[in-house]
Amino acid sequence: MHGTLNLIRRYILCLPALIILIFFFAAPIFQIFIMSFHPYKGPMEVGEKFTFENYISIFTRSYLVNCIIRTIRIAACSSIVAVIMAYPLSYYIAKATSSIRRKILLFTIFFCFFNSTIGRGLSWYLILGSKGIINLILTSLGMQEIRILHSELAVEIGLVYVILPFAVLSIVPSIQKIDPSLRESALILGANEFKTFIHVTLPLSLPGISAALSTCLAITLAAFVIPMILGGGLVDMLSNIIYIRMKAVLNFALGGALSFVLLAASLITMYVIILPLRKVKWT
Amino acid sequence: MTHELVAHFKLAKKVRNIFLELYVLLAIFYIVFPILLLIVTSFDSRGYIGDILSIIPSLRWYNEFIGSSFFINGILTSFFVGITATVLSLIVGLSFAYVIVRYDFPGKSILIETSMAPAVVPGVTLGFALLYFFARLGSHLTILNIIIAHLIITLPYALRTLIATLEGFDISIEEAALVLGATRLRAFLEVTLPNIKSGIIAAAIFSFAISLDDVAVTAFLTDVYTYTFPVALLTTFRRAISPIAAVGCSVLIVIALCMVCAIDKSYGLERFVGIYARRS
Amino acid sequence: MSGTTILELKGITKVFDDTIAVDNLSLEVREGEFITLLGPSGCGKTTTLRIIAGLTRPTKGRVILSGTDITDWPPYARNMSMVFQNYALFPHMNVFDNVAFGLKMRKLDKREIKNRVREVLRLVRLEGYENRMPHQLSGGQQQRVALARALVVEPKVLLLDEPLSNLDAKLRVHMRTELKRIQKQIGITSIYVTHDQAEALSMSDRVAIMNKGKLLQVGTPEEIYERPKSKFVADFIGEMNFLKGKVDITASRVKIMTDVGFNVSLAKEDFPTEYLKHKKVFLCIRPEHMEIYREPTADALISGKILDFQYLGHLIKYFIELENGQTIIINQPRIGLSPYNVGQRIYIRVLSYTILPRD
């Protein structure tokens, strides 16, 4: 009797979360998923029959296919760059003992983390624009203006700035978890600091690196604000395309199909990049 | 091993450390500089984004901003939505996290994955899914729709923080209370809750930040009368980007600064790093 | 074991913030010997070991290996090895790679590495375990892999930091024998750190007792036990009863008087000269160096009352109150139950004692 009562009590506490998630998250998403298999009939409406035509039309339109590839490309590049940039910072935070500098770094990273995406996009707009800092420096040195804004590079720069804190925060715990005596063992056995890093620290922080990549990819694949501000319509990622289709035309069928392609692309990319790292399970 | 080699090792170590310190310094500059640039631009008196060196400082755009009901409405709505969604997120999240950390039961991992899922699903997808859903439901109360949407998107982050907090909480003092005769509810209210206060504050701030930043989902659910601040900002980008956008972003920067300080004072930034340790 | 000094610590001092972890410690370690640093927690023994290894830099003092000053050398240059308390096996490498690590760092060729690893695994009785991962091994097996990893590089000095503390009692006793056997077989100089007296006394050629950062006494286990040079050492090792005595020096004899009825009279030559200037001394008597009698005899003059006793199987531990109110412990080997009862008045005969200064 008591056992069942306890079980019920546990499930009851989960209930609010469950109801909210099922009703307002799973159900709507599922609804859209179903809709993606129906033909477009008008704004917010779909026809009756079951069809693959939405998906087919996505993959036959080169514009959309290019967009998908571009999204994956930008996401993968930004994520990898961000993780590489983040690692030394994570190492510093995890290792450096006292040090005011460490506190300052941590504070700065969190500051960036809590800063709005729009704000971060706008900041880089100011730097990369034709009247931005970079071009100012170049022209004052007598060189030619370069167009960085409204290019893939600009979007990637902006995305790296957005996901860097996520990467740092994902990697730090995995470095901190490494038992200090492992490093000391390696040192005594004849490995200098560099070799110790390569053979001990780096492999053992791999779980953190894969978590960082996974988080960064999830965020960049769904990027919306940054490509909008820094891409200026020339570099649209999948989220932007979906937005345009939906807000303007309310073609839920196609929008739904595009969303699920995006979701599938997210999952596939994440597994392709993460899988070789995930292979390692050391506990 | 000779004296030269020893000196060489010492030098190599010093050089390595200097490189790392330099990199960190550069990183701090890289993070802070764009923020400063933005703040400086907001004080530009010109009506367009011009080159930063010929800036004429003025509070022109700040005045415009404060006087603009468009933006002020946006801020008020954002705060209202943010606070409401956060409170709901905390209540829902806390009960869920409590059960997750304490007990094992069938379907637990599926539940956890589902609760973290809103963070993986692209915002636009969730946005128009909810648009359709609310339209079908006949719910025309835009503000309510937005609050519910924000509850969904903040839940994973609140949950992550709360789970980490509860895991770090020493359950034996709660058990001591139970043994001394308290009911589970009283033990929770009088023993557990006061001790996880800092974690709850951190989860609240984190949720609020996520809510305040969201554009992708909210963009689908706003209308002419009800909109949040970031959506309002984004619409001004349609025409030329003017310094008033910089003002708006500067406001968000100040809010971000307050949030970081608040988390540091309550929970501690060092501990907050650990909440990301869960998934791997 | 030769008599040459392989490692010398000269005036090693280590200060952390306000605490002095190691205080002016000087020690000579002989080649091939098994020497243990023994002391209570916080006495500085692990810090000393880490200074020898190069993991911690001393505030003052020098570390000299085979005549070369290595104080400034990094750990990877010292040709030493260390076995840690928590084994510190690399979790992402299998047993073979763990053991081979040091050899890889020394850039030996693959065949040589394979042979050496195989040989050392045989030595620690773990042949065939090459492909296992650390988490698949038991505590004892992990410890042996850690030992193998440390030995295979043929270090000049083997350092061991409480390596058996994490094992359960029975395994610990078994591993003590294993460790000693291997050490003697290879003849490697070993510096062992522990807080466990039994371990130190049973395994070591010499024991160095430390307390509060200071080195108190170095000697063979027998010397430490039978002839402690300070009250701390006397008290720390085993159990000790301390009788307060006053010194009375005459022309040819030294008399020590206690207030419990036990007095000794020694010829001046038999009394340690360095203690002659002390007016007050301790007579230190081990619990097993006293005998209990029902009636007073010429030798058994100390009278006492039995307060309590504990039956420990192989002996009975008596807690006895003496005339001056002091409580002492006597361990009486026994087959069967105690012949004496609580409250009974008995008489004690002292078989042997040591003298230590009291002021």
Side-chain angles (χ1 to χ4, degrees):
Chain A
M1 174 59 201
H2 239 287
T4 350
L5 192 66
N6 269 327
L7 210 66
I8 293 178
R9 226 198 307 235
R10 290 171 205 184
Y11 281 120
I12 283 189
L13 279 179
C14 291
L15 228 48
L18 217 61
I19 293 178
I20 302 218
L21 282 171
I22 292 183
F23 202 57
F24 293 111
F25 175 65
I29 301 272
F30 189 66
Q31 213 162 33
I32 297 293
F33 184 57
I34 300 293
M35 279 196 358
S36 70
F37 289 106
H38 294 262
Y40 172 61
K41 207 169 75 165
M44 280 223 240
E45 275 185 46
V46 290
E48 289 300 312
K49 64 182 171 104
F50 183 91
T51 165
F52 282 109
E53 69 185 40
N54 293 307
Y55 289 92
I56 295 175
S57 77
I58 291 177
F59 288 106
T60 47
R61 292 197 218 171
S62 63
Y63 168 62
L64 289 179
V65 174
N66 282 336
C67 182
I68 296 174
I69 296 179
R70 185 191 313 137
T71 304
I72 295 179
R73 186 173 56 227
I74 294 179
C77 289
S78 326
S79 300
I80 294 175
V81 169
V83 169
I84 294 178
M85 279 176 67
Y87 196 91
L89 299 177
S90 305
Y91 189 83
Y92 190 83
I93 293 176
K95 292 289 192 188
T97 37
S98 67
S99 156
I100 310 171
R101 264 165 295 189
R102 172 168 178 252
K103 191 67 193 283
I104 296 180
L105 178 62
L106 204 55
F107 193 87
T108 315
I109 291 190
F110 271 108
F111 187 23
C112 185
F113 188 60
F114 280 96
N115 203 4
S116 62
T117 319
I118 298 181
R120 288 187 258 185
L122 188 56
S123 301
W124 283 96
Y125 184 89
L126 295 174
I127 296 177
L128 301 172
S130 58
K131 289 289 193 310
I133 287 290
I134 292 191
N135 280 318
L136 273 180
I137 296 177
L138 288 176
T139 47
S140 67
L141 289 176
M143 304 205 298
Q144 262 244 300
E145 237 181 54
I146 49 172
R147 274 210 61 220
I148 307 182
L149 209 54
H150 303 315
S151 72
E152 242 181 68
L153 181 62
V155 174
E156 282 171 1
I157 292 177
L159 283 176
V160 167
Y161 192 70
V162 168
I163 59 179
L164 190 65
F166 284 93
V168 171
L169 295 182
S170 296
I171 298 178
V172 170
S174 69
I175 299 182
Q176 282 177 327
K177 276 209 194 107
I178 301 178
D179 188 352
S181 60
L182 290 174
R183 187 176 164 269
E184 292 176 344
S185 282
L187 284 175
I188 293 205
L189 284 167
N192 59 27
E193 273 95 350
F194 180 68
K195 290 207 194 129
T196 305
F197 175 74
I198 297 289
H199 290 282
V200 179
T201 314
L202 195 57
L204 289 175
S205 58
L206 231 45
I209 295 179
S210 88
L213 270 176
S214 150
T215 310
C216 290
L217 280 171
I219 297 174
T220 50
L221 284 164
F224 180 66
V225 174
I226 296 288
M228 189 183 268
I229 300 180
L230 295 174
L234 294 177
V235 185
D236 278 335
M237 290 175 71
L238 215 43
S239 288
N240 305 110
I241 300 284
I242 295 176
Y243 182 71
I244 296 171
R245 299 265 154 179
M246 305 311 310
K247 254 323 212 218
V249 182
L250 289 175
N251 180 348
F252 274 39
L254 190 58
L258 279 169
S259 294
F260 280 93
V261 170
L262 177 54
L263 202 55
S266 302
L267 294 172
I268 294 176
T269 320
M270 285 204 269
Y271 277 116
V272 163
I273 295 195
I274 307 298
L275 204 59
L277 296 176
R278 280 300 182 96
K279 258 194 317 194
V280 286
K281 284 241 182 264
W282 297 314
T283 30
Chain B
M1 183 61 42
T2 58
H3 279 293
E4 293 96 60
L5 267 174
V6 175
H8 172 255
F9 275 122
K10 282 184 158 174
L11 188 67
K13 196 170 187 179
K14 273 211 177 78
V15 167
R16 238 194 323 265
N17 284 340
I18 291 181
F19 262 117
L20 193 58
E21 299 276 350
L22 217 67
Y23 183 82
V24 169
L25 217 61
L26 265 168
I28 295 180
F29 179 71
Y30 162 79
I31 294 178
V32 173
F33 179 72
I35 299 178
L36 288 177
L37 191 61
L38 189 59
I39 298 180
V40 168
T41 311
S42 69
F43 288 104
D44 195 351
S45 65
R46 291 169 296 177
Y48 57 90
I49 301 284
D51 96 53
I52 195 81
L53 293 176
S54 36
I55 184 177
I56 307 162
S58 100
L59 288 173
R60 168 184 172 190
W61 294 106
Y62 277 93
N63 289 324
E64 288 252 2
F65 183 82
I66 297 176
S68 154
S69 61
F70 178 59
F71 285 119
I72 299 299
N73 274 335
I75 290 190
L76 292 174
T77 313
S78 272
F79 267 77
F80 179 67
V81 168
I83 294 176
T84 318
T86 298
V87 168
L88 291 174
S89 221
L90 286 178
I91 297 174
V92 172
L94 200 54
S95 51
F96 192 57
Y98 187 80
V99 182
I100 293 284
V101 175
R102 292 275 185 278
Y103 309 114
D104 244 322
F105 49 87
K108 178 167 151 177
S109 44
I110 302 178
L111 235 65
I112 299 181
E113 293 292 328
T114 321
S115 64
M116 297 294 182
V120 180
V121 169
V124 286
T125 309
L126 188 57
F128 79 76
L130 284 175
L131 175 64
Y132 182 72
F133 182 75
F134 286 131
R136 280 287 293 266
L137 221 57
S139 162
H140 296 295
L141 206 60
T142 322
I143 191 81
L144 186 64
N145 297 344
I146 298 180
I147 291 177
I148 294 177
H150 280 222
L151 171 56
I152 299 282
I153 57 179
T154 58
L155 193 59
Y157 298 95
L159 208 54
R160 191 175 273 215
T161 314
L162 290 171
I163 289 180
T165 311
L166 280 174
E167 278 179 348
F169 169 71
D170 183 1
I171 195 178
S172 46
I173 65 177
E174 189 182 293
E175 290 176 339
L178 289 174
V179 167
L180 286 167
T183 63
R184 269 210 184 270
L185 183 63
R186 278 203 79 183
F188 179 74
L189 289 176
E190 297 191 27
V191 173
T192 316
L193 214 54
N195 281 296
I196 58 174
K197 222 175 8 179
S198 61
I200 295 182
I201 294 178
I205 296 177
F206 200 10
S207 288
F208 187 77
I210 298 290
S211 160
L212 191 59
D213 189 34
D214 180 74
V215 173
V217 180
T218 323
F220 282 95
L221 301 172
T222 56
D223 61 31
V224 184
Y225 302 106
T226 324
Y227 48 85
T228 61
F229 187 53
V231 173
L233 266 182
L234 211 59
T235 54
T236 70
F237 283 37
R238 291 304 163 78
R239 302 131 211 141
I241 299 187
S242 86
I244 202 168
V247 171
C249 292
S250 299
V251 172
L252 289 172
I253 288 175
V254 171
I255 296 178
L257 198 58
C258 297
M259 290 196 281
V260 182
C261 291
I263 289 196
D264 190 29
K265 281 270 149 55
S266 62
Y267 196 66
L269 290 180
E270 315 267 350
R271 277 171 71 192
F272 200 66
V273 179
I275 66 165
Y276 262 88
R278 280 217 79 239
R279 315 210 78 212
S280 74
Chain C
M1 178 170 71
S2 70
T4 52
T5 302
I6 190 171
L7 180 74
E8 200 184 334
L9 299 176
K10 277 196 172 145
I12 298 286
T13 305
K14 179 68 185 174
V15 181
F16 287 114
D17 295 328
D18 303 322
T19 32
I20 302 178
V22 183
D23 196 349
N24 199 20
L25 188 147
S26 295
L27 181 67
E28 279 182 32
V29 177
R30 301 183 200 134
E31 191 170 351
E33 81 168 322
F34 191 112
I35 184 171
T36 299
L37 302 179
L38 173 68
S41 316
C43 69
K45 51 193 195 295
T46 301
T47 312
T48 306
L49 199 73
R50 291 173 59 90
I51 290 177
I52 298 174
L55 297 171
T56 308
R57 296 221 55 204
T59 317
K60 267 197 291 221
R62 315 307 295 167
V63 179
I64 303 184
L65 182 69
S66 296
T68 319
D69 186 337
I70 61 166
T71 319
D72 295 325
W73 289 20
Y76 41 91
R78 297 192 181 204
N79 202 13
M80 293 183 193
S81 271
M82 190 149 156
V83 180
F84 290 81
Q85 186 174 350
N86 64 348
Y87 328 129
L89 295 182
F90 303 124
H92 56 298
M93 301 183 195
N94 62 17
V95 168
F96 185 90
D97 290 325
N98 259 286
V99 176
F101 188 80
L103 300 176
K104 238 174 72 176
M105 293 300 122
R106 284 159 174 77
K107 302 210 171 81
L108 297 180
D109 74 76
K110 281 209 171 131
R111 186 133 36 106
E112 174 79 24
I113 293 182
K114 210 163 179 197
N115 288 334
R116 291 231 237 169
V117 170
R118 201 148 284 174
E119 203 183 303
V120 78
L121 282 179
R122 202 176 316 137
L123 181 66
V124 297
R125 303 207 238 256
L126 279 178
E127 317 103 280
Y129 279 76
E130 283 93 344
N131 285 317
R132 302 270 185 104
M133 298 297 286
H135 65 90
Q136 295 173 311
L137 303 174
S138 71
Q141 289 168 331
Q142 287 187 34
Q143 193 53 282
R144 282 186 275 164
V145 175
L147 186 62
R149 181 176 67 177
L151 290 173
V152 78
V153 295
E154 292 174 5
K156 280 210 163 123
V157 181
L158 177 66
L159 307 170
L160 304 116
D161 187 4
E162 307 208 45
L164 307 181
S165 309
N166 283 357
L167 303 174
D168 62 68
K170 236 186 177 166
L171 193 55
R172 212 181 302 163
V173 174
H174 169 74
M175 282 301 292
R176 278 185 214 162
T177 336
E178 279 295 289
L179 262 177
K180 198 66 215 269
R181 170 185 73 86
I182 295 172
Q183 190 263 344
K184 273 280 169 278
Q185 189 172 331
I186 305 186
I188 190 171
T189 314
S190 305
I191 305 180
Y192 194 92
V193 161
T194 184
H195 60 274
D196 184 329
Q197 292 176 35
E199 219 159 75
L201 294 178
S202 64
M203 297 174 78
S204 327
D205 297 319
R206 282 199 300 162
V207 178
I209 309 233
M210 290 178 67
N211 188 34
K212 298 205 178 107
K214 289 200 175 57
L215 180 61
L216 297 177
Q217 188 174 347
V218 186
T220 66
E222 192 252 345
E223 282 168 9
I224 299 279
Y225 190 80
E226 301 293 350
R227 288 176 291 283
K229 292 220 188 89
S230 66
K231 183 161 191 285
F232 178 83
V233 176
D235 205 7
F236 184 75
I237 302 283
E239 294 170 306
M240 186 70 98
N241 297 300
F242 296 94
L243 298 181
K244 297 189 183 147
K246 288 208 188 67
V247 178
D248 184 22
I249 308 178
T250 65
S252 60
R253 303 204 71 87
V254 179
K255 290 204 190 117
I256 304 173
M257 329 273 273
T258 66
D259 51 356
V260 292
F262 177 63
N263 303 317
V264 298
S265 173
L266 298 168
K268 230 181 199 168
E269 313 85 68
D270 298 330
F271 191 82
T273 31
E274 63 265 28
Y275 296 157
L276 276 173
K277 56 186 192 290
H278 295 281
K279 283 267 170 285
K280 301 195 213 151
V281 294
F282 279 116
L283 288 173
C284 312
I285 311 170
R286 292 279 181 203
E288 64 270 17
H289 290 162
M290 288 187 278
E291 277 180 354
I292 300 180
Y293 291 83
R294 280 183 207 279
E295 303 293 330
T297 72
D299 301 311
L301 293 171
I302 307 176
S303 96
K305 191 173 72 168
I306 296 185
L307 290 175
D308 194 9
F309 61 86
Q310 290 171 353
Y311 175 74
L312 296 177
H314 57 294
L315 58 81
I316 301 183
K317 191 185 286 288
Y318 290 97
F319 297 87
I320 296 170
E321 188 184 64
L322 300 178
E323 277 167 28
N324 63 355
Q326 183 183 357
T327 308
I328 60 165
I329 300 176
I330 297 185
N331 290 340
Q332 193 104 27
R334 195 69 207 164
I335 299 173
L337 303 170
S338 163
Y340 312 106
N341 303 312
V342 174
Q344 185 169 347
R345 183 149 293 277
I346 45 89
Y347 298 89
I348 301 163
R349 177 184 172 205
V350 175
L351 299 171
S352 115
Y353 59 88
T354 331
I355 300 171
L356 283 177
R358 192 154 55 98
D359 46 30

